Amino acid sequence: MTAPPPIPPDRARWLGVIVLAVLALAARRTENPEAFANSTHPRFDDSQEGRHQGTIEVAGHSWSFALHVPAGYEADSDRQWPLVLALHGASGSGTAFLDEAGWDDLADREGVIIAAPSGLPMRPEVSPSRVFNPRLWNSRQHPPDRPRSQVDDLAFFDALLDEITRRWRIDPDRIYAAGHSNGGAMALRLAAERSEVFAAVASVAGLRYVEPPNEARGVSILTIFGGADPLLPTEGGLSVLPWEVRRTPEILPELKRYAAQIGCPQVDTVIEHDGPMHFFFYPPSPEGATLGFILLDRHGHAWPGGQARLAEPLLIGPRNDLIDATAVIWKFFAHRRRRSDEPS
């Protein structure tokens, strides 16, 4: 694979302005009170099934989360339940991600507790806006001098997991994280820097921007990419976002590096083809960790199988809903557990 020719700086700036203008038109609706959980929302009895909202004060900021408790939770008081952290992409929210990616439906169908937190805005002290001050995760992909990069997201996730495992019956060996775009990058960061917690993680249209510490254990990873993604081109190169122009590396060498770091045997990457879907799974490490990737032809940056948005093809490329990413990710998670002899 070869990287595309770089976009001239002047053209990149104009493309950013155009994308920003179109996004502003697409985001005609303002954020409504239901879009983000906050302290004005009721917190339901922990034993009740369905949607819960909550807030946590961490690192000098107020963080919100939405959580779906599946049907059957109340009837089986002795059961421990798997937990998935569902992490939205830039400009999203936890509540919207639950709805748009079908996490609520999966929770009730498969018996999973889904927690969908909302990231802090790019400028944390200013109210969030989809276009001009989007909610983000500090996945370390943004320059360190930016205000959002100064916030300790790992402290938030530590506190969130403490809160959830205290209030709900969670199986400590079946905790997972899945994210979209910037949320996918955050899920991969959690696998690297909180490897003792997670049994597996998944990323859609996201790469990792940190290196795992030497003592990190291998966490299984599933990645999904679109072959027509203008924001994360598979061959690498420049991409234009409303708030930045960035260069991304070629994807396959990055995935090969991740696989080596979690202990997978290094083998030739012989990609399997199923029509417009292409996939490969590395053999598992001695501890059972593996890495797999799925590439969808003619698919852009959207969550496969999720709800489409206004002007989406123009903004983030075409859609090819050959798979339901939410269901595919859960199938990957369902048979993976953190080894019970490891500390929680």
Side-chain angles (χ1 to χ4, degrees), residues 36 45 145:
F36 303 106
D45 188 301
D145 60 345

Side-chain angles (χ1 to χ4, degrees), residues 120-178:
L120 297 180
M122 184 167 61
R123 297 185 301 281
E125 304 307 323
V126 180
S127 297
S129 163
R130 277 188 179 276
V131 178
F132 300 106
N133 195 27
R135 290 182 180 265
L136 302 170
W137 299 109
N138 184 7
S139 62
R140 297 299 190 197
Q141 69 191 91
H142 300 109
D145 60 345
R146 293 189 180 178
R148 188 62 184 85
S149 301
Q150 309 303 312
V151 181
D152 187 354
D153 283 35
L154 292 181
F156 161 67
F157 281 104
D158 291 342
L160 177 66
L161 287 170
D162 285 346
E163 174 82 350
I164 292 172
T165 55
R166 179 181 62 83
R167 293 174 57 189
W168 287 279
R169 300 189 303 276
I170 303 300
D171 183 344
D173 295 328
R174 302 188 71 193
I175 297 176
Y176 313 93

Side-chain angles (χ1 to χ4, degrees), residues 46-49 69-82 110-113 167-171 174:
D46 293 349
S47 66
Q48 292 183 351
E49 300 162 5
V69 177
Y73 182 87
E74 298 173 49
D76 193 348
S77 60
D78 295 327
R79 178 178 174 184
Q80 288 188 311
W81 298 73
E110 300 292 345
V112 191
I113 293 177
R167 293 174 57 189
W168 287 279
R169 300 189 303 276
I170 303 300
D171 183 344
R174 302 188 71 193

Side-chain angles (χ1 to χ4, degrees), residues 85 120 133 141 175 181 207 237 261 268 278 339:
L85 298 185
L120 297 180
N133 195 27
Q141 69 191 91
I175 297 176
S181 190
L207 290 174
Q261 288 172 334
D268 291 338
H278 317 284
R339 295 202 314 273

